[in-house]
Each structure stands twice: as structure tokens, then as C-alpha cells.
Amino acid sequence: MEDGTEKSGQRQPRSAPEVGAVVRDSVRERLGVLVEVDGPVAHVRPPEGGTPWLARLADVYAACPMDELRAKVVELNARRRLAP
């Protein structure tokens, strides 16, 4: 099924999001941008830039459209603050 579940109700494994995608770290409950995937480790940075953090790839999933929009607004606001 498209929602990630089988008819038996068991969850199918999620595919890893692509580098550059807005993701949610389910452990830290934070939004970020996926910078790099190194085996089972994901490198995620805050949308406004800054120091990336490490997360297990299994704990990172593609953000919903509302979260993607929220992350883009944060990034644009950060750029605006830096502009002369």
C-alpha cells in the first residue's frame, strides 16, 4: 500500500530521503536538511545553516509538506538577517 503498511498492518521499511531534502529527526524532533549519508549515519544541518548533527539514518525521514514550508521560511528569514 502507498501509506507504508502492508495488508497485515506491518510497516514497510521507508526508503532513505535524498541528500538536500528537508527531513525530520524523530529522536531530536528537529527539522533539518540532509547533507550527507554515510552508511547508517545521516548528517543533518539546521535549515538556517549552522553546525550539522549526526543522526541514525533509521531515525530520519522526509518531512511533510508543511514542515518543508516551515524550513524554507526559516532559511529565508536567516538569509534576510544576513543581507545588508
Side-chain angles (χ1 to χ4, degrees):
M1 297 179 106
E2 289 184 41
D3 65 356
T5 60
E6 294 179 348
K7 290 181 182 179
S8 66
Q10 293 179 335
R11 297 211 39 94
Q12 292 282 350
R14 291 190 299 248
S15 60
E18 294 184 19
V19 169
V22 177
V23 295
R24 178 169 286 282
D25 180 341
S26 62
V27 172
R28 291 175 181 79
E29 287 300 320
R30 289 181 66 185
L31 284 178
V33 177
L34 185 61
V35 177
E36 182 181 352
V37 175
D38 185 16
V41 178
H43 300 253
V44 184
R45 71 161 174 79
E48 66 274 12
T51 305
W53 71 88
L54 300 178
R56 287 181 7 161
L57 188 56
D59 296 332
V60 172
Y61 58 93
C64 70
M66 182 60 81
D67 284 341
E68 285 186 44
L69 181 59
R70 188 174 290 121
K72 288 177 184 177
V73 168
V74 167
E75 185 175 0
L76 287 172
N77 285 340
R79 285 185 192 172
R80 183 175 288 167
R81 282 190 293 271
L82 295 176

